[in-house]
C-alpha cells in the first residue's frame, strides 16, 4: 500500500487538538500520531491570524477522505485535497 498525507485545516489550536483526539477514537488500527502544525495566513503578521493543521500519514486505504472531511467540518475546518 502507498502511504499518503492527509491535511485537515482547522481555525484554531483547540479545534486541532480536539480533532487529533477524535482521530484516535474514530479510526481503528495502528496509525501514526497526528501532527499539529501552526500555519500563518499569507500576508498576516498577527498571531491570531493563523490556521492549525492536523497532518496524518498512513496507508491510502486506512483513512477515508469523506470521513476525514466530515470530522474537520464538525470543527469548522476542512480536508485539504492533494
Amino acid at each position: 500500500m502507498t502511504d499518503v498525507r492527509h491535511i485537515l485545516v482547522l481555525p484554531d489550536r483547540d479545534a486541532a487538538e480536539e480533532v487529533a483526539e477524535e482521530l484516535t477514537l474514530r479510526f481503528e488500527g495502528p496509525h501514526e500520531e497526528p501532527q499539529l502544525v501552526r500555519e500563518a495566513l499569507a500576508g498576516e503578521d498577527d498571531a491570531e491570524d493563523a490556521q492549525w493543521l492536523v497532518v496524518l500519514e498512513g496507508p491510502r486505504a486506512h483513512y477515508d477522505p469523506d470521513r476525514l472531511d466530515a470530522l474537520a467540518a464538525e470543527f469548522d475546518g476542512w480536508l485539504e485535497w492533494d
Side-chain angles (χ1 to χ4, degrees):
M1 280 186 230
T2 304
D3 281 358
V4 294
R5 177 178 291 154
H6 302 282
I7 301 172
L8 290 79
V9 182
L10 288 303
D12 56 47
R13 183 182 184 114
D14 290 340
E17 288 174 347
E18 288 185 54
V19 166
E21 186 176 318
E22 284 294 318
L23 285 167
T24 61
L25 298 173
R26 295 186 191 192
F27 290 88
E28 295 180 13
H31 48 76
E32 297 276 329
E33 185 74 23
Q35 298 176 353
L36 300 181
V37 179
R38 182 180 176 272
E39 180 181 79
L41 299 175
E44 297 294 334
D45 294 328
D46 189 352
E48 295 295 317
D49 293 323
Q51 295 172 322
W52 282 82
L53 310 178
V54 177
V55 181
L56 299 165
E57 293 191 34
R60 180 175 300 278
H62 187 74
Y63 295 107
D64 176 4
D66 291 330
R67 286 181 62 200
L68 290 174
D69 195 39
L71 174 60
E74 289 177 33
F75 294 88
D76 297 322
W78 67 90
L79 175 65
E80 205 46 50
W81 298 92
D82 287 337

